[in-house]
Amino acid sequence: MKTLVTSILSLAVAAVLGSAAFAEEATPAKGAAPAHHEEGATPHYPLKEPKEEEWSFAGPFGHYDKAQLQRGLKVYTEVCSACHSMNLVPFRMLDELGYSEAQVKAFAANYEVQDGPNAAGEMFTRKAVPSDHFPAPFANVEAAAASNNGAAPPDFSLIAKAREVERGFPRFVVDIFTQYQENGPDYIHALLTGYEEPPAGFQVPQGGHYNPYFHAAAVLAMPKPLSDGQVTYDDGAPQTVDQYSKDVSSFLMWAAEPHLEERKRMGFMVMIFLAIFTVLIYLTKRSVYASKEH
């Protein structure tokens, strides 16, 4: 047992030291061009790595901030929903954000969904009810692509879990011990706040927008979606791009993993059980072998 614990601690220390050395080696000297801008270098995307932000749901005791989730829902409905669907999220789940049943019904009624067929065999539209899912802004993928420079906007239901930037060795080993699982929200926040002017000599294709945090290329079809003062908050929170990005990132994390708090509570209870069980096993072993000659 002592050997196992020592080995694990040694691995953790080695990973931490390796991560620090890797970061120091990867950081360009002052005034030097990043590796992806060096002549003849092969680009590695994203060109800039997302910064680790502070999230209320991080760590073993993390929890969702309902006020932030409500703000994120507001940003999504007023900005993101014009292009991005959430096909896997039903309106009824919004009660977990602190809304009453009447508020959820009123919110759902703002949308229209297709239903049917009716008695005449025809499809029809009606107001949405809590059991319905967020409707897509386009009839199909082809229509979505045609309206967005040929690139269909992805569905947002699981985007916070699907758009994780790989951190590589040895940092992923360190993440095991720090329980870092916020790659997705960090990436979304970095992308939304990362639009900038391209470096000298970089040609941006027509209809493209330079963003070094994009995970697939240096240019993406989506223009900068947020600007300061674009969404009005009623709780006095800052109405800035940075705040909008954090709020909608948190909301998308909740949409992708709505049972995160329950999972963490269950995990904590399991760890307590295992700790008590280990002590009981040890005491049982000592009791059984106390009278035995060694």
Side-chain angles (χ1 to χ4, degrees):
M1 183 66 179
K2 291 182 179 179
T3 304
L4 177 60
V5 173
T6 302
S7 300
I8 294 176
L9 292 177
S10 300
L11 179 61
V13 172
V16 171
L17 295 177
S19 178
F22 175 80
E24 182 177 357
E25 181 181 352
T27 303
K30 186 176 181 180
H36 57 270
H37 288 156
E38 294 178 1
E39 185 176 357
T42 301
H44 176 73
Y45 301 112
L47 299 180
K48 290 184 179 181
E49 186 172 331
K51 185 181 69 173
E52 293 185 27
E53 301 290 337
E54 294 185 3
W55 306 101
S56 64
F57 48 83
F61 304 105
H63 63 280
Y64 288 122
D65 182 345
K66 291 187 177 181
Q68 184 175 51
L69 296 183
Q70 291 183 8
R71 294 196 302 268
L73 172 63
K74 189 175 181 66
V75 174
Y76 169 75
T77 55
E78 295 187 12
V79 181
C80 309
S81 64
C83 298
H84 296 274
S85 59
M86 291 187 71
N87 295 329
L88 303 180
V89 181
F91 291 111
R92 65 173 180 269
M93 288 181 58
L94 296 180
D95 62 356
E96 298 180 10
L97 274 59
Y99 294 111
S100 65
E101 182 178 353
Q103 288 175 315
V104 173
K105 288 182 178 179
F107 183 89
N110 292 324
Y111 294 83
E112 288 190 346
V113 296
Q114 189 178 52
D115 201 351
N118 56 18
E122 298 176 345
M123 304 299 290
F124 60 94
T125 59
R126 59 169 174 79
K127 288 188 176 181
V129 295
S131 59
D132 290 315
H133 293 67
F134 279 83
F138 302 101
N140 49 58
V141 176
E142 289 74 17
S147 300
N148 291 274
N149 297 323
D155 181 77
F156 268 5
S157 302
L158 302 175
I159 197 74
K161 304 294 287 187
R163 292 293 190 268
E164 296 183 352
V165 176
E166 295 183 2
R167 289 162 62 84
F169 182 83
R171 283 179 294 178
F172 79 86
V173 178
V174 178
D175 292 343
I176 297 175
F177 298 93
T178 61
Q179 299 189 25
Y180 173 73
Q181 299 177 340
E182 293 74 52
N183 323 48
D186 283 341
Y187 169 74
I188 295 172
H189 175 267
L191 182 72
L192 293 175
T193 58
Y195 287 86
E196 58 185 52
E197 292 296 322
F202 187 93
Q203 297 295 325
V204 178
Q206 184 177 2
H209 305 272
Y210 183 78
N211 191 320
Y213 294 98
F214 187 40
H215 74 102
V219 176
L220 72 164
M222 180 179 71
K224 183 179 179 180
L226 298 171
S227 58
D228 292 346
Q230 184 175 358
V231 179
T232 301
Y233 284 157
D234 301 324
D235 60 358
Q239 297 174 173
T240 62
V241 171
D242 181 70
Q243 188 64 50
Y244 294 152
S245 302
K246 287 182 178 179
D247 294 341
V248 75
S249 297
S250 296
F251 171 72
L252 294 177
M253 181 63 180
W254 168 82
E257 195 168 0
H259 304 299
L260 176 142
E261 295 177 349
E262 298 175 12
R263 175 175 61 80
K264 291 189 175 186
R265 283 196 296 267
M266 179 61 70
F268 179 73
M269 294 173 61
V270 169
M271 295 304 296
I272 293 295
F273 168 78
L274 291 177
I276 296 174
F277 184 71
T278 301
V279 172
L280 292 177
I281 290 295
Y282 174 73
L283 295 177
T284 301
K285 174 183 175 296
R286 290 197 59 181
S287 176
V288 170
Y289 291 95
S291 59
K292 301 290 184 180
E293 295 184 0
H294 298 281

